[in-house]
Amino acid sequence: MSPRVISVDADHPQKPAIDEAVAILRNGGLVAFPTETVYGLGARALDRAAVTRIFAAKGRPAAHPIIAHVLDENGARKMATEWNDLASALARAFWPGPLTIVAPKRAEISAELTGGGNSVGIRAPLHPVARALIAALGEPIAAPSANRFQQISPTLASHVVKSLGDRVDLILDGGACARGIESTVVSISQANEIHLLRPGSISIEALGKFAKVIYENQNVTEGDVRASPGLDAKHYAPRARLLVAPREELAKLAQGKKTGVVLQGNSAGFEALTTTAGNAAIQLRVLPADAAGFATAIFATLHELDDLECDLILVEAPPSTDDWIAVKDRLTRASEN
């Protein structure tokens, strides 16, 4: 059975659609909605039973925290026991936007929301649909990505339908997500250090204007308490086997399977690649050469190649520069390299 899907204006969401979504949330239901990063699977953040429904719908293990979405810094302060000057400076610089700030949680914030940890991730989204929903509800919305656990994140409403089906009560379809990958997650437990837990579209350079940035790529094992979502060694994965390799190696790897090939910027070196290799179709996709443009398109492209039933997806390895860190993180966790 398919979920109910309502198309909404991404810039000026219609009140009847928002009102219907709010009614579902107040009844403990789940609503998928667009943000500027990916589609979120929303429930009332302060409703323990509703948050538990998110875990059941996604097949998500209990140790994985869920980000709470608020309108502004005042909303964040109501969830945190500590909110230092650095947190305030980051919120004023990047909110509303794709930055999640992890802070010590208040006692009333349930362990279900935080994955059993003592901190809570909070962000104020930029997308008008997300903001209208939070404003109309009048309280924080818990919302991880609206997909089954460890699968490709959704950047279109159709991705949500495909992944979750009737596990979600309503989907607000606001079109494609502008950023295409999840938010940057930081911890600010010390006033002079920013610990980058999950890279996203807020760059290390931008964060470094406020304090020293410490980033160590983390892989946690199941059952570990974690401060941020998205830290498993396997995550964001298509059904097809995915490999990341330098451009000069991709043509060799494509032989003998129905293969998707994802390049950056142009198809140079692949002009002679025919539509078949070893009697299996080659699906060639060329994404933007800049990190932001590539990030916007990569999840949708992986969804498309999965839908074409590719056996193998080959992705050109991203450059080893700070602006590509978030893309590299997602591809590494999605791949078998």
Side-chain angles (χ1 to χ4, degrees), residues 36 90-91 94-95 97-101 122-124 183-186 202 207:
E36 69 277 18
L90 293 175
F94 298 112
W95 283 2
L99 179 71
T100 295
I101 299 174
I122 312 167
R123 96 172 178 99
S183 63
T184 302
V185 181
V186 299
I202 304 296
L207 293 170

Side-chain angles (χ1 to χ4, degrees), residues 75-319:
R77 287 178 178 273
K78 292 176 182 178
M79 302 191 75
T81 57
E82 299 175 22
W83 193 260
N84 59 26
D85 290 344
L86 179 55
S88 186
L90 293 175
R92 291 170 185 171
F94 298 112
W95 283 2
L99 179 71
T100 295
I101 299 174
V102 175
K105 75 176 187 72
R106 291 188 181 272
E108 62 267 27
I109 306 300
S110 71
E112 284 79 5
L113 182 69
T114 65
N118 294 319
S119 60
V120 59
I122 312 167
R123 96 172 178 99
L126 177 62
H127 198 290
V129 174
R131 295 189 64 76
L133 197 58
I134 298 165
L137 181 64
E139 59 184 276
I141 295 178
S145 57
N147 58 289
R148 294 286 286 175
F149 179 61
Q150 292 186 338
Q151 293 181 1
I152 311 168
S153 297
T155 57
L156 294 171
S158 59
H159 299 160
V160 182
V161 174
K162 178 178 66 173
S163 186
L164 293 179
D166 60 4
R167 296 183 186 92
V168 56
D169 300 303
L170 176 68
I171 300 172
L172 297 178
D173 183 354
C177 299
R179 299 277 183 157
I181 59 173
E182 298 81 358
S183 63
T184 302
V185 181
V186 299
S187 172
I188 39 73
S189 56
Q190 299 185 37
N192 60 347
E193 290 182 352
I194 298 171
H195 287 261
L196 177 58
L197 302 177
R198 181 180 73 184
S201 56
I202 304 296
S203 68
I204 290 178
E205 181 182 7
L207 293 170
K209 295 177 181 178
F210 296 87
K212 178 181 178 182
V213 179
I214 299 172
Y215 174 57
E216 295 179 4
N217 189 25
Q218 298 184 51
N219 287 329
V220 296
T221 57
E222 195 50 60
D224 289 346
V225 174
R226 60 205 75 194
S228 170
L231 300 183
D232 285 57
K234 180 183 178 183
H235 213 87
Y236 319 108
R239 292 189 301 273
R241 184 184 180 208
L242 188 148
L243 295 175
V244 180
R247 179 179 286 232
E248 59 271 19
E249 296 180 16
L250 294 182
K252 294 182 295 183
L253 293 169
Q255 302 302 315
K257 291 181 178 293
K258 185 174 183 181
T259 302
V261 178
V262 183
L263 303 175
Q264 299 160 23
N266 59 66
S267 59
F270 284 79
E271 296 87 347
L273 187 66
T274 62
T275 56
T276 63
N279 298 318
I282 297 293
Q283 295 289 333
L284 184 63
R285 299 292 184 271
V286 179
L287 304 190
D290 65 290
F294 191 96
T296 297
I298 183 57
F299 282 150
T301 300
L302 295 181
H303 274 286
E304 180 188 3
L305 294 174
D306 247 1
D307 291 343
L308 291 170
E309 298 184 344
C310 288
D311 301 303
L312 176 66
I313 298 174
L314 302 173
V315 183
E316 180 179 355

